[in-house]
């Protein structure tokens, strides 16, 4: 629906909203018309929260997770195990892993993956700061929790080599069948890995 | 995923975004994290467009469509047929009907439908101003283009009675089979209407 809207304000809001991922022009128009029906305070509150989010967000100086404080609440939580550092690609992954309640250590957010095709090299992401942390803090295990993709594997391997001279155990997330998924729908590579890495039944 | 986010700013933005229709907490988080990866100017532009939209929008004094000018560009377009007024529920419907290119007259936006259950009576929507227009302008036909629902039918009937003393033709959108839909999937009421209101084949 590439209808011209007879309002510059509406056109602009629809244009901006449809830049968001997964929001097309039709959905953007629906959202804009919804906002028009609401009180001005509601639209203002939404608009300001978006501006404030981007303008005032800050990052933890230690793990590079988002944080209101210089050091984030995970890094400064005395109950977290500082000997285990989980390496993730981005902030979203921290939230996802936290929701499993299975990791009780700290994080290190790379801010991306090595991807030569996209011009992203090791120095563009937080690998040096990870090596520094392992060198200077009492880290005993680094868990590589990157996506099982080409870029994830490349980054895993690069970090593994960088850490190989240091007295630290490097582990990677298990690859295998998805819980609840039927065997026949698993791809061959995943199924193969799950056979190689089979574990004692208990 | 009701994960607590370790940032007030992120939590607030996610909360505000998830108030939008069709956007749950998970999508809101995805949008917020997307904005975090963009330049501050992009987030500012989006936020401001939302605030401006609601704060500065104005409505056409004649047809109540949104408009930057006191009278909207449809009402002030000399090529539009001022003898035909199409009555719609809301601004969205104007856009939808304009996209068909089948209506060359003007509009009248009611701003809602009569709905006793929701406490919306005839005086809460722009019916009196419609009657005024028909009385004072050279309107020859009023097209009722409301949704074929209980509320739409009630509103249609109310407007029809209000206009019955005035020398104006009142028509309503045809009800019948959807173009491209198979006969067997049409509901009985619609199919019945389409038999009653059958038209010469040409």
């Amino acid at each position: 629906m590439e209808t011209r809207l007879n309002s510059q304000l509406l056109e602009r809001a629809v244009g901006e909203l449809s830049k968001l991922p997964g929001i097309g022009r039709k959905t953007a128009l629906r959202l804009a018309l919804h906002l028009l029906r609401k009180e001005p305070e509601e639209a203002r509150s939404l608009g300001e929260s978006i501006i404030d989010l981007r303008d005032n967000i800050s990052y933890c100086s230690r793990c590079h997770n988002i944080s209101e404080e210089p050091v984030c609440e995970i890094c400064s939580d005395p109950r977290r195990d500082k000997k285990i550092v989980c390496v993730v690609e981005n902030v979203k992954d921290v939230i996802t892993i936290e929701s499993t309640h299975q990791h009780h250590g700290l994080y290190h957010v790379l801010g991306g993956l090595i991807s030569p095709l996209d011009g992203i090299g090791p120095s563009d992401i937080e690998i040096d700061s990870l090596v520094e942390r392992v060198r200077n803090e009492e880290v005993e295990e680094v868990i590589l929790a990157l996506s099982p993709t080409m870029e994830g594997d490349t980054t895993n391997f690069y970090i593994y080599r960088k850490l190989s001279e240091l007295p630290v155990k490097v582990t990677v997330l298990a690859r295998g069948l998805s819980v609840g998924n039927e065997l026949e729908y698993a791809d061959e590579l995943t199924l193969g890995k799950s056979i190689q890495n089979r574990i004692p039944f208990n």
Side-chain angles (χ1 to χ4, degrees), chain A residues 4-17:
Chain A
R4 201 167 53 90
L5 306 174
N6 70 329
S7 159
Q8 293 291 318
L9 289 166
L10 184 60
E11 185 64 59
R12 181 173 163 228
V14 168
E16 290 291 338
L17 284 165

Side-chain angles (χ1 to χ4, degrees), chain A residues 2 5 54 83 90 96 99 103 110 127 164 185:
Chain A
E2 263 302 326
L5 306 174
R54 188 61 190 84
K83 299 196 192 73
N90 56 40
T96 307
S99 70
H103 175 59
L110 294 177
I127 293 182
S164 60
Y185 298 125

